[in-house]
Amino acid sequence: SNRVSHTMNISDYRRDFAAYCSAIELAHYQHRAGFEKQLHLEPIYERYGDLFARDAIDALQLGFEETSAYRETERAGLRLLSGSSQIGYLEARARELTDEVARCESSAHIKWAGESVPVNNVPKLISNEPTASNRRELAARWIDAHRACNDLRAARLESFHESAVTLGFDSYRALYTDITGTDYERLAVTVNRFLERTEAAYTSALARAVARDLPDVAFDDLQHADFFFFQRMTRLDAFFPAQDLMATYEAAMKSLGIRVEQQRNIHIDAKARPFKNPRAACF
């Protein structure tokens, strides 16, 4: 009977965890899409806090350990669920800092051309700024505005690290290594080798592209501010008029054999709103 109730608890946990994930996703969408000026996670954490209590994490770990090796799918599911509960534990303990970071970011503004511009909209301004000196000035103000929230970001990461140690790991990174099976130190070495091997090819390709698309900036004087404008590719605007966005999307998908008008489960929010984050996002 003990074994049966143990299984039932885990199925209840799965159901509640799914509801929690939906609520978090919806809150992020409402904030990003500009319906809610603030990110409201506190009530969700309050409601589902029990999911990330230590006894719940321990029960999932026990469930994983007690599941025999031949029940591969169940073990894999419990392993992922256990990892998610550990991450949830970290996030629950850092939730006040998470909300403060979001508040700090959404209230951060820069002054430009006599106006106060929300910090989230600055990359868009830089992307559309043809004058290199203006791009650099915008980027400097953008970085300064972001810097105001750095202490909060650092405190949030420190909180994650402390919580990971509380769960018995050496560090935040060690927790993620355990959950994902990725050795991040080895990955960093591999990626750096790749960057070294491809440096010459990358540099020559970039030099050609910069000469074509950034004629007013010398290659040796490239800065991060130029990246936004470079990536923006204004010369291709004629092919992507804003009013034809949905038609272009439908045509591209149709060529891939996907009929978007028949997709009832995908909703595209293309409306402009004052507090909408202009970067694309998927929920």
Side-chain angles (χ1 to χ4, degrees):
S1 74
N2 193 17
R3 195 51 71 94
V4 171
S5 70
H6 182 64
T7 319
M8 273 176 57
N9 288 346
I10 286 182
S11 71
D12 286 350
Y13 189 97
R14 282 195 169 107
R15 183 199 61 219
D16 292 344
F17 184 74
Y20 160 80
C21 290
S22 294
I24 289 282
E25 197 79 350
L26 183 60
H28 277 285
Y29 164 67
Q30 287 170 332
H31 179 54
R32 286 291 296 261
F35 292 111
E36 296 284 350
K37 199 172 175 184
Q38 306 291 351
L39 180 63
H40 299 296
L41 298 182
E42 196 66 31
I44 302 168
Y45 287 134
E46 287 298 331
R47 185 174 172 192
Y48 294 102
D50 292 351
L51 289 172
F52 310 114
R54 275 306 292 271
D55 56 355
I57 292 171
D58 294 343
L60 286 168
Q61 192 58 37
L62 186 66
F64 170 73
E65 285 161 9
E66 287 181 355
T67 304
S68 58
Y70 73 87
R71 294 177 63 202
E72 249 177 85
T73 309
E74 180 65 8
R75 270 178 74 84
L78 282 169
R79 181 161 179 73
L80 288 170
L81 202 57
S82 177
S84 297
S85 73
Q86 290 169 329
I87 293 167
Y89 174 79
L90 267 57
E91 287 174 347
R93 284 167 56 114
R95 68 192 191 195
E96 283 175 14
L97 285 163
T98 300
D99 284 354
E100 280 185 55
V101 170
R103 271 197 297 276
C104 183
E105 287 176 348
S106 61
S107 65
H109 285 67
I110 72 154
K111 289 271 185 287
W112 188 254
E115 287 189 30
S116 179
V117 182
V119 79
N120 284 337
N121 293 354
V122 180
K124 192 175 172 181
L125 280 182
I126 303 173
S127 299
N128 289 301
E129 177 50 66
T131 309
S133 57
N134 284 349
R135 287 199 294 272
R136 282 151 174 63
E137 182 55 37
L138 272 165
R141 293 183 194 188
W142 180 64
I143 288 163
D144 273 349
H146 264 291
R147 203 172 272 139
C149 308
N150 275 354
D151 284 351
L152 288 170
R153 290 191 192 97
R156 184 168 173 265
L157 281 172
E158 188 56 40
S159 166
F160 287 162
H161 177 76
E162 285 168 10
S163 296
V165 171
T166 306
L167 289 177
F169 294 91
D170 286 343
S171 64
Y172 179 45
R173 189 184 69 222
L175 169 69
Y176 265 87
T177 293
D178 187 70
I179 291 170
T180 63
T182 302
D183 179 340
Y184 292 99
E185 287 193 342
R186 212 176 84 209
L187 179 64
V189 170
T190 308
V191 168
N192 281 324
R193 278 199 201 120
F194 172 78
L195 289 174
E196 284 162 18
R197 280 205 313 275
T198 56
E199 179 71 19
Y202 173 77
T203 305
S204 69
L206 182 62
R208 287 196 303 276
V210 164
R212 182 191 62 206
D213 291 326
L214 288 174
D216 61 332
V217 182
F219 184 77
D220 291 335
D221 190 37
L222 279 176
Q223 291 185 25
H224 182 49
D226 301 315
F227 167 73
F228 295 100
F229 183 74
F230 179 69
Q231 188 190 39
R232 168 73 179 73
M233 289 281 180
T234 14
R235 67 192 171 81
L236 300 179
D237 280 1
F239 303 105
F240 299 101
Q243 68 273 18
D244 293 348
L245 172 68
M246 298 313 292
T248 306
Y249 162 70
E250 283 177 27
M253 289 292 128
K254 194 173 177 182
S255 303
L256 295 168
I258 297 167
R259 314 241 168 231
V260 295
E261 71 281 357
Q262 291 169 12
Q263 288 187 311
R264 300 277 169 262
N265 59 338
I266 292 176
H267 169 71
I268 293 175
D269 176 0
K271 289 190 176 68
R273 289 183 203 93
F275 295 105
K276 191 178 191 180
N277 187 322
R279 296 202 55 168
C282 186
F283 302 91

